[in-house]
């Protein structure tokens, strides 16, 4: 966010291998959401520092939360892990309390059921 210059190159920089069983994004349980709770706290700090938090929340966060967090939740089969994960998602939501105006109808319903809206 503080870069003075950028350059576009025609090279592969990152390749994601989906069959990595030890991957944090392939092995979904409450530990996944616990790690992201910490990450979200840091994300708020950084985005606030550069005065882009509001823009991020207004343009991207509904889709990110819906498809990344709730999408991954569907991959958990153990009921205890699902509930522990939902509690962590509640905590992630609360990090943005008063800052994030949820617009997506499905997210609004999800947060109402969770007692957060």
């Amino acid at each position: 966010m503080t870069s003075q210059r950028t350059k576009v190159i025609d090279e592969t920089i990152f390749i994601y291998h989906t069959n990595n069983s030890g991957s944090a994004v392939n092995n979904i349980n409450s530990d996944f959401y616990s790690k992201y709770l910490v990450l979200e706290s840091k994300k708020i700090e950084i985005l606030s520092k550069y005065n882009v938090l509001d823009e991020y929340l207004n343009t991207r966060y509904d889709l990110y939360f819906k498809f990344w967090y709730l999408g991954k939740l569907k991959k958990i089969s153990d009921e205890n892990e699902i509930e522990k994960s939902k509690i962590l998602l509640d905590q992630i939501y609360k990090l943005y309390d008063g800052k994030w105006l949820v617009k997506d109808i499905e997210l609004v319903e999800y947060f109402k059921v969770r007692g957060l809206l």
Side-chain angles (χ1 to χ4, degrees):
M1 287 191 240
T2 60
S3 176
Q4 300 299 315
R5 297 183 309 167
T6 60
K7 182 178 182 178
V8 177
I9 59 173
D10 189 20
E11 289 186 40
T12 302
I13 302 298
F14 179 79
I15 298 174
Y16 180 72
H17 299 281
T18 59
N19 293 333
N20 183 352
S21 63
S23 169
V25 297
N26 289 337
N27 187 17
I28 307 300
N29 57 34
S30 61
D31 290 341
F32 170 85
Y33 293 100
S34 182
K35 290 173 187 174
Y36 272 88
L37 178 61
V38 173
L39 180 75
E40 290 290 342
S41 295
K42 294 298 180 189
K43 186 190 300 185
I44 290 170
E45 286 179 32
I46 292 167
L47 294 177
S48 294
K49 178 180 176 181
Y50 293 102
N51 296 313
V52 295
L53 179 61
D54 290 340
E55 179 73 18
Y56 173 71
L57 293 175
N58 289 325
T59 60
R60 299 188 176 270
Y61 203 62
D62 278 37
L63 287 174
Y64 178 78
F65 197 99
K66 181 178 180 177
F67 291 108
W68 184 252
Y69 290 138
L70 295 185
K72 299 277 186 214
L73 193 61
K74 295 173 185 173
K75 295 183 176 189
I76 303 173
S77 57
D78 180 88
E79 287 299 320
N80 289 331
E81 281 298 308
I82 292 171
E83 188 52 36
K84 285 167 52 176
S85 297
K86 285 182 177 181
I87 290 167
L88 289 161
L89 284 174
D90 294 350
Q91 292 173 357
I92 290 172
Y93 172 82
K94 289 174 183 176
L95 290 174
Y96 294 98
D97 191 32
K99 300 175 188 114
W100 178 27
L101 176 61
V102 180
K103 296 179 273 318
D104 183 276
I105 293 169
E106 291 177 38
L107 281 180
V108 168
E109 285 304 312
Y110 173 81
F111 291 127
K112 280 183 180 178
V113 168
R114 296 296 298 164
L116 298 169
L117 287 179

